Amino acid sequence: MAEIRAFRGIRPAAGKEADIAALPYDVYNREEARKAVEGRPLSFLRIDRAETQLPEDTDIYAPEVYQKAKELLWGMVEDGNFVQDSAPCYYLYELTMNGRSQTGIVACASIDDYRNGVIKKHENTRREKEEDRVRHVDTCDAQTGPIFLAYRNQENLKKLVAEVKEGQALFDFTSEDEIRHRGWKIADAAKISAIYEAFHQMDALYIADGHHRAASAVRVGVKRREEHPGYTGEEEFNYFLSVIFPDDELMIMDYNRVVRDLNGLTAEEFQGEIKKVFDVEPLDKAEHPKRKGQVTLFLADQWYLLTLKPEYANSDPVEGLDVSVLQKQILEPVLGIRDPKTDKRIDFVGGIRGLSELERRVHTDMKAAFAMYPTSIGELFAVADAGLLMPPKSTWFEPKLRSGLFIHALR
């Protein structure tokens, strides 16, 4: 059963939320991060990417970067830009994009639930990417970036969340990308007990986004257990910061593919190979695929609708994913792209960028673009329940959770 507990959240002082909140650290490269914090002295990105506060030639993994992050974080606590609640609470975090809202419960999840499979994953992680966040969390003595979890909707939790949202919000602001962010604190003992019991009845939670942050938080917890052999299990390092959303409120966007060349084929020859697997229909304009089993292709200034032939459909949770079919039937055998994680001839474009970005890439540095039908949350659950892993870049969640609105101290 899932162990989801309340915690003494560190959060922005009233009125500081919009100035502090920042997109996740990993959506920026080094140059973008440095530019993003210009003129924003309270931006949490300064803490998540503390190299932006050091000389430009500083190694981003140098010990002084993590020490700078710690100094900035606890300095903002000491000067009152952050406050910490005196007793454990749950919180709500609502994000609204284009009129659609999703509300998650902010809480701490158990590292043991991650290790024993109650918290299920669907992606592999890379050790080198984990290492950066391990050092960041361990040095800062705090988890600063929440893990995005999902659960199968429960009506009792939905009703409780709605009741809380009738009260006064902790914060309410709209970020520069037109996403509205609202938050509430749940300090009532009866509501805290009801939330705890509701999660305790669940046999599974799912990582939607943040696999590397989750793996890093767990590694820090395990490290601290080794450093404190007399631990009781109640220490904060046994839990990690999460925002947990009901599955029926989540939106997964398409995660699209662009390829640099056609592996020596002409456009006509490439289409001939595609027609062995897909029915191909020219389109009058750029369009997204309308259902599972469809892909739209931009090639030689023309959009095409590709519909998978029935004999290539697959009921396997992983092999049946559209991204798997495209990889196994076209990208690998026709274009020679065997490992999309490492092959420099393929790139990935999140659906938030739109079809115009696919056209732009083909007109600049790429040869063809594939617009995918989004992987569903049901497909994600099915893969995770089977103990399997999705291909790289299978899901793109929007909107992104802002960092800095809720922090979990390990002290």
Side-chain angles (χ1 to χ4, degrees):
M1 301 297 104
E3 182 80 10
I4 300 296
R5 76 176 199 174
F7 69 109
R8 294 179 57 221
I10 295 174
R11 50 189 178 80
K16 300 284 183 76
E17 295 88 359
D19 293 327
I20 289 174
L23 284 167
Y25 73 95
D26 53 359
V27 306
Y28 300 98
N29 63 32
R30 183 170 186 163
E31 182 180 342
E32 290 168 341
R34 189 171 288 274
K35 185 174 181 181
V37 301
E38 289 178 359
R40 294 196 62 194
L42 296 182
S43 171
F44 200 78
L45 190 61
R46 296 162 61 252
I47 296 168
D48 263 348
R49 297 289 295 271
E51 77 274 9
T52 62
Q53 307 304 297
L54 295 169
E56 290 190 23
D57 61 351
T58 303
D59 181 349
I60 63 174
Y61 304 120
E64 55 264 35
V65 172
Y66 304 101
Q67 288 297 329
K68 185 66 174 179
K70 178 181 182 179
E71 170 194 323
L72 291 168
L73 171 61
W74 293 104
M76 289 181 71
V77 173
E78 290 170 8
D79 65 19
N81 284 301
F82 281 116
V83 296
Q84 184 171 23
D85 287 306
S86 59
C89 304
Y90 290 113
Y91 306 85
L92 298 183
Y93 181 16
E94 177 200 74
L95 302 95
T96 303
M97 182 177 79
N98 298 329
R100 185 192 63 83
S101 295
Q102 60 188 53
T103 304
I105 296 172
V106 186
C108 282
S110 164
I111 68 171
D112 289 318
D113 284 349
Y114 178 94
R115 300 177 82 194
N116 64 25
V118 171
I119 296 174
K120 299 179 182 292
K121 55 188 178 180
H122 65 270
E123 286 183 6
N124 263 328
T125 56
R126 299 209 315 267
R127 190 78 172 183
E128 65 272 18
K129 285 190 68 175
E130 290 178 25
E131 194 61 39
D132 168 52
R133 287 301 103 175
V134 165
R135 296 173 69 188
H136 192 278
V137 170
D138 202 26
T139 303
C140 286
D141 218 10
Q143 293 152 356
T144 60
I147 286 77
F148 186 158
L149 300 180
Y151 63 94
R152 290 184 172 87
N153 176 51
Q154 288 194 356
E155 286 305 313
N156 58 336
L157 272 181
K158 187 178 286 290
K159 181 180 178 182
L160 190 153
V161 166
E163 290 175 359
V164 173
K165 289 171 65 175
E166 291 175 359
Q168 180 67 38
L170 282 175
F171 59 82
D172 184 347
F173 68 93
T174 300
S175 51
E176 66 281 355
D177 53 2
E178 302 302 317
I179 308 298
R180 185 183 184 188
H181 305 262
R182 294 200 294 170
W184 292 262
K185 182 169 77 170
I186 304 172
D188 177 77
K191 286 185 170 61
I192 287 175
S193 178
I195 291 171
Y196 179 87
E197 289 301 324
F199 282 117
H200 201 59
Q201 298 304 312
M202 297 182 192
D203 58 6
L205 297 173
Y206 301 83
I207 299 177
D209 198 11
H211 282 79
H212 284 91
R213 289 192 295 276
S216 301
V218 171
R219 282 181 56 192
V220 172
V222 171
K223 175 177 179 289
R224 294 203 173 190
R225 285 180 172 184
E226 293 170 349
E227 293 168 350
H228 302 84
Y231 74 92
T232 66
E234 291 300 309
E235 299 87 355
E236 294 298 331
F237 58 71
N238 295 288
Y239 297 86
F240 59 88
L241 180 64
S242 304
V243 186
I244 315 166
F245 292 89
D247 60 341
D248 61 345
E249 293 186 9
L250 297 180
M251 180 177 71
I252 303 179
M253 298 188 74
D254 41 308
Y255 214 156
N256 304 311
R257 278 82 171 122
V258 288
V259 295
R260 197 170 303 281
D261 61 67
L262 301 182
N263 202 28
L265 300 175
T266 65
E268 291 75 17
E269 290 169 338
F270 183 50
Q271 284 192 62
E273 294 297 325
I274 289 175
K275 287 176 180 177
K276 296 176 182 178
V277 180
F278 293 90
D279 294 322
V280 179
E281 175 186 347
L283 296 170
D284 294 331
K285 60 180 180 179
E287 290 186 23
H288 291 280
K290 299 295 193 297
R291 61 173 176 81
K292 179 177 169 61
Q294 289 186 339
V295 180
T296 55
L297 165 69
F298 186 61
L299 174 69
D301 274 335
Q302 173 67 52
W303 281 96
Y304 299 90
L305 174 64
L306 314 183
T307 302
L308 188 68
K309 294 181 178 180
E311 59 266 33
Y312 290 96
N314 194 316
S315 60
D316 181 85
V318 173
E319 298 302 319
L321 295 172
D322 285 350
V323 290
S324 295
V325 172
L326 184 70
Q327 175 63 34
K328 294 293 180 65
Q329 301 297 335
I330 302 297
L331 298 182
E332 182 172 348
V334 179
L335 296 183
I337 299 172
R338 292 175 176 80
D339 186 352
K341 295 192 297 293
T342 59
D343 198 312
K344 302 299 184 185
R345 296 168 54 231
I346 188 170
D347 199 3
F348 304 89
V349 180
I352 194 69
R353 306 291 294 274
L355 296 180
S356 60
E357 175 64 9
L358 299 184
E359 293 183 349
R360 188 193 72 80
R361 292 296 301 273
V362 171
H363 289 147
T364 53
D365 61 334
M366 294 290 171
K367 193 71 172 181
F370 298 90
M372 310 301 298
Y373 187 74
T375 301
S376 71
I377 193 71
E379 289 176 317
L380 185 155
F381 284 178
V383 170
D385 283 338
L388 302 172
L389 300 173
M390 286 186 175
K393 314 295 186 183
S394 294
T395 58
W396 181 280
F397 283 89
E398 287 287 347
K400 303 294 184 190
L401 308 184
R402 285 302 201 273
S403 295
L405 293 174
F406 303 96
I407 298 166
H408 174 224
L410 301 187
R411 294 181 171 182

